[in-house]
Amino acid sequence: MALRPHALLILATLSLAPVAVIAATPTSNDATKKTATAASTRKQAAAKNSIAASTAKPAIKSKAAAKRAPVGEAAAEEAESEDITPIVKGEAARSAGDANTSAAELDRLLDKVEEGDRIAGLAVAVVKDDKVLLQRGVGYADAKAGLKVTPDTVFRLASLSKAFASATAAILVDDGAFSWDTTVASLVPAFELIDADASSKLTVRDVLSQRVGLPHNTYDRMIEANEPYPLLVDRLKEVPMTCDVGECYGYQNVTYSLIGDVIYATTGDFFSHQVEKRLFRPLGMTTASYGREALESSVSWARPHVHGRGGWVPFENREGYYHVAPAAGVNASIKDMTAWLIAQMGGRPDVLSAAELETLHTPQIDTPHERRVAPWRRARVSDSQYALGWRVFDYAGETLVFHAGYVKGYHSMIAFFPKTRFGTVMLWNCETALPSGLLPMLLDRYLGLPEVDWAGLDAPATPVPKRARVVAGRKH
């Protein structure tokens, strides 16, 4: 497809030669058990009451969220099955802060998942401080060939990729390459929104905190149609703004990938090379990579699957979201992601400093709708905001740093409590929402909350729900 000469052609996110840009001027220990009985009682009572209302779906209106428009409404970050109804299994409080017991109970739940053929393939890790409590594969990387998921099996991460982009940006900010308040237009002169003032105001911080002011998921459908990234960036000037830059939340993949152009402009190096140099290699993420070719060249890689009459069936990967590499281009194994989780929880200050992590995890914009997109969130999450490539939730009174990802045939979730440094990663390669329920079951057990079967494990085995609703990616 021929592009107009003035189109933005800075292909720092792709393996193509970029055109000229303007160079920038550098502008613990295990958790202490809770002893406050009164506070604990209030938390348990609130949890009990909220579970009963968790299946309600109230209409949400908020000035903090961008309007939807035809250019949006595409790939989901998280999928929720409307056929999975949470089952309250006990109202009694459980001991809190026992990481080993929590991981062991999740391991038993994974046995049940594997026995029921409820998923094609799944990889899970649980970490406390810098210690790996669980690292396990379930099911198949390729069901047709009988290849099992192992800790080294590589999956597509989808939107979990965003945190790698923001972390690389944080390192470069500390190096003086640019600042969080550097404007995109000062480095990428061909960048243009429909409003000239907005074009000149958009900063790196706005890009990474999803505060561009465009409709949710602008041009995601065109990404899925395999349209090239430079063309989509060039067409941003045709999209009406939903609010002023920095004033509202609207989840994006195209504009998020502008950070790749900023990094190329300030380093003269491809975005993916910078991530490899500053994160993958120092953290020992030996099977992490960018792009479809790299994924499918891996020694062990998870094929995407759909459930057919004869069971789980692999299908061909789709290229689309690899075109927006900073937003959705990373491939990694659960072993890689265990190292990444430890670093995000402060275990690798030589790679990501405490100050950098604090900046990355500090909320930037309210995201009220995210409290209501799944039963577990309606019951447990009382506050939700977007930081820099991360979501920050109030989960039953505790700060939870979280993100989810989805592209066709792949799902991913990462979550951790920064205060106690307890977290998990889940990667799977099929169209099911079941692991989305396993995550809050683990978190509930760690916090000592009443037991709820958020994943529907005690319901009859139905690998593919009759009706599944995509709930999060178009707004994440």
Side-chain angles (χ1 to χ4, degrees):
M1 176 181 294
L3 298 175
R4 288 176 288 179
H6 65 278
L8 175 62
L9 293 175
I10 301 173
L11 304 184
T13 61
L14 305 173
S15 299
L16 299 174
V19 298
V21 294
I22 296 177
T25 301
T27 50
S28 84
N29 296 323
D30 284 349
T32 303
K33 293 187 177 181
K34 300 181 183 298
T35 57
T37 305
S40 176
T41 301
R42 285 195 299 271
K43 180 182 289 188
Q44 293 158 15
K48 178 181 176 181
N49 293 335
S50 63
I51 292 168
S54 66
T55 55
K57 304 175 185 64
I60 307 301
K61 293 184 179 180
S62 173
K63 293 181 180 179
K67 298 175 183 177
R68 198 159 312 288
V71 292
E73 300 185 26
E77 229 181 63
E78 182 183 351
E80 169 197 358
S81 167
E82 290 303 311
D83 290 331
I84 295 180
T85 301
I87 301 171
V88 179
K89 301 186 68 176
E91 297 182 356
R94 298 175 287 178
S95 60
D98 190 336
N100 288 298
T101 297
S102 301
E105 290 196 9
L106 176 61
D107 198 26
R108 287 192 289 272
L109 293 176
L110 293 176
D111 289 339
K112 185 179 290 188
V113 171
E114 194 161 32
E115 291 166 3
D117 188 35
R118 296 169 182 253
I119 198 163
L122 169 68
V124 177
V126 178
V127 173
K128 176 69 176 77
D129 298 321
D130 301 337
K131 183 179 180 181
V132 181
L133 304 182
L134 177 66
Q135 194 178 79
R136 176 178 175 182
V138 172
Y140 294 96
D142 185 339
K144 183 178 180 180
L147 300 176
K148 292 281 193 175
V149 171
T150 74
D152 292 307
T153 299
V154 178
F155 292 74
R156 292 183 70 170
L157 298 188
S159 284
L160 266 57
S161 305
K162 291 179 170 66
F164 290 90
S166 62
T168 302
I171 294 170
L172 288 169
V173 165
D174 276 0
D175 284 354
F178 52 88
S179 79
W180 296 112
D181 296 319
T182 295
T183 61
V184 174
S186 68
L187 300 176
V188 188
F191 167 72
E192 187 179 357
L193 296 172
I194 196 169
D195 180 89
D197 185 56
S199 301
S200 65
K201 287 170 56 177
L202 186 70
T203 67
V204 170
R205 188 189 305 273
D206 293 323
V207 166
L208 297 179
S209 61
Q210 307 285 14
R211 305 184 309 185
V212 178
L214 295 177
H216 290 289
N217 297 81
T218 292
Y219 291 140
D220 274 13
R221 287 181 175 175
M222 295 179 71
I223 296 174
E224 293 174 355
N226 222 29
E227 293 288 352
Y229 166 73
L231 175 65
L232 300 183
V233 172
D234 187 47
R235 290 190 59 183
L236 289 174
K237 62 179 176 286
E238 303 169 8
V239 183
M241 305 286 290
T242 57
C243 69
D244 195 9
V245 166
E247 295 299 318
C248 69
Y249 165 76
Y251 190 80
Q252 308 295 333
N253 287 302
V254 175
T255 60
Y256 196 94
S257 296
L258 288 167
I259 190 61
D261 301 326
V262 169
I263 287 173
Y264 181 83
T266 53
T267 67
D269 193 11
F270 293 122
F271 164 78
S272 61
H273 294 172
Q274 284 291 308
V275 178
E276 291 164 4
K277 173 184 175 181
R278 297 175 180 275
L279 294 174
F280 292 170
R281 289 202 292 270
L283 292 175
M285 298 177 65
T286 58
T287 55
S289 62
Y290 276 91
R292 179 178 175 180
E293 182 178 351
L295 171 72
E296 297 180 359
S297 298
S298 301
V299 174
S300 173
W301 65 279
R303 281 70 170 172
H305 288 72
V306 65
H307 201 272
R309 292 181 179 179
W312 294 105
V313 180
F315 62 88
E316 187 176 358
N317 250 314
R318 296 184 179 182
E319 185 76 22
Y321 282 94
Y322 280 130
H323 294 171
V324 285
V330 177
N331 313 304
S333 67
I334 200 66
K335 187 179 289 185
D336 295 325
M337 292 304 289
T338 302
W340 177 240
L341 177 59
I342 290 171
Q344 284 292 328
M345 294 195 299
R348 290 296 305 272
D350 56 316
V351 179
L352 287 170
S353 70
E356 288 165 346
L357 292 174
E358 182 177 2
T359 298
L360 293 170
H361 302 158
T362 296
Q364 303 290 325
I365 189 76
D366 192 28
T367 61
H369 188 81
E370 300 309 317
R371 302 160 206 169
R372 300 166 174 89
V373 299
W376 67 268
R377 295 200 203 181
R378 292 192 284 271
R380 300 291 191 233
V381 177
S382 60
D383 186 60
S384 57
Q385 301 184 67
Y386 206 87
L388 299 174
W390 289 98
R391 301 192 175 286
V392 181
F393 293 160
D394 181 314
Y395 187 99
E398 299 290 336
T399 297
L400 180 73
V401 179
F402 171 89
H403 216 287
Y406 171 74
V407 294
K408 185 69 173 178
Y410 297 92
H411 293 259
S412 55
M413 302 182 86
I414 183 170
F416 60 92
F417 296 116
K419 181 179 178 181
T420 57
R421 299 183 63 209
F422 176 82
T424 185
V425 185
M426 299 183 181
L427 312 173
W428 64 105
N429 62 335
C430 59
E431 299 297 315
T432 179
L434 186 147
S436 298
L438 293 176
L439 184 140
M441 293 173 76
L442 171 67
L443 302 182
D444 283 1
R445 180 64 189 87
Y446 180 70
L447 294 181
L449 298 174
E451 185 177 6
V452 180
D453 179 7
W454 297 109
L457 290 176
D458 290 333
T462 52
V464 178
K466 292 178 292 183
R467 179 169 59 92
R469 181 167 68 94
V470 166
V471 296
R474 58 180 184 269
K475 34 199 170 306
H476 282 75

